[in-house]
Amino acid sequence: GENVGLHLPTLSVQEGDNSIINCAYSNSASDYFIWYKQESGKGPQFIIDIRSNMDKRQGQRVTVLLNKTVKHLSLQIAATQPGDSAVYFCAENINGQGGSEKLVFGKGTKLTVNP
Amino acid sequence: GAGVSQSPSNKVTEKGKDVELRCDPISGHTALYWYRQSLGQGLEFLIYFQGNSAPDKSGLPSDRFSAERTGGSVSTLTIQRTQQEDSAVYLCASSLVGTDLYEQYFGPGTRLTVT
């Protein structure tokens, strides 16, 4: 079946380093992808999104790369800070029943930033 | 402005009892979603409401689960005859459909524990 998953369940980096979180997806019809950040005890928070007609999109300290050939999505965080410690989820947009929009989430990667 | 709110924040119930979880979406958001998140797992889609359209119930795990949305705003997720495997965090999200973005804003969740 279709799924969105992550290569690495945990990632530990030193403060100031760059972080790369990866995600694989299998639904070739997905046209929209989102990265969410979830801190402990909170709901997921939108970080950045990208459409399938793009390969790269940059935000503040974050960059999302999309490789449709291998169905791979990555989130790059520059100069990682302790406040970046959280679980990061990728999600793909698929059409649900009756044309509704539905997000399918991966299992998440836990990022730990060491001071 | 106010974000998505959910109540209660924590709920402990005995196996076999019914529970109701409430979600107040962001004012003006026409789409409302319910997800379930088990410990250390990703988000599992449950149900989606959009305006006056029939809800997408494709993610509800059993007929013990139901949800309604009154007046296009507040939503209630009901779990009847709760089982221990229902223990999870239940997240609600809302979004403003009609734009070209599918960003969903999440509430803090309700942590349900079935003993």
Side-chain angles (χ1 to χ4, degrees), chain B residues 18-108:
Chain B
D18 297 351
V19 295
E20 285 189 353
L21 312 179
R22 177 187 169 105
C23 172
D24 285 84
I26 293 174
S27 178
H29 279 193
T30 56
L32 187 147
Y33 308 78
W34 282 99
Y35 295 88
R36 178 168 68 175
Q37 186 175 30
S38 300
L39 185 64
Q41 299 296 313
L43 279 72
E44 175 189 4
F45 168 80
L46 296 178
I47 189 169
Y48 161 70
F49 296 90
Q50 166 50 28
N52 296 320
S53 301
D56 179 347
K57 303 179 181 181
S58 61
L60 295 178
S62 77
D63 59 7
R64 296 187 296 104
F65 288 73
S66 63
E68 61 179 22
R69 188 179 185 190
T70 54
S73 180
V74 173
S75 177
T76 301
L77 176 69
T78 301
I79 309 174
Q80 296 177 310
R81 305 181 302 281
T82 52
Q83 304 294 314
Q84 288 185 332
E85 59 262 30
D86 298 335
S87 296
V89 175
Y90 289 82
L91 289 158
C92 174
S94 69
S95 68
L96 185 60
V97 176
T99 67
D100 60 353
L101 296 174
Y102 305 132
E103 180 180 349
Q104 295 179 19
Y105 295 82
F106 283 83

Side-chain angles (χ1 to χ4, degrees), chain A residues 32 36 38 51 97 100 102, chain B residues 37 45 48 56 100 104:
Chain A
Y32 182 69
Y36 281 90
Q38 186 175 27
R51 293 194 173 279
Q97 294 177 350
S100 67
K102 187 166 70 175
Chain B
Q37 186 175 30
F45 168 80
Y48 161 70
D56 179 347
D100 60 353
Q104 295 179 19

Side-chain angles (χ1 to χ4, degrees), chain A residues 67-115:
Chain A
N67 185 329
K68 294 180 288 293
T69 302
V70 296
K71 297 176 185 172
H72 184 268
L73 192 69
S74 68
L75 176 71
Q76 300 179 358
I77 305 173
T80 315
Q81 303 170 0
D84 295 327
S85 295
V87 177
Y88 290 81
F89 294 96
C90 64
E92 62 179 326
N93 172 265
I94 61 174
N95 285 322
Q97 294 177 350
S100 67
E101 305 299 343
K102 187 166 70 175
L103 290 179
V104 175
F105 285 79
K107 292 191 182 299
T109 292
K110 182 177 181 180
L111 175 65
T112 301
V113 182
N114 302 310

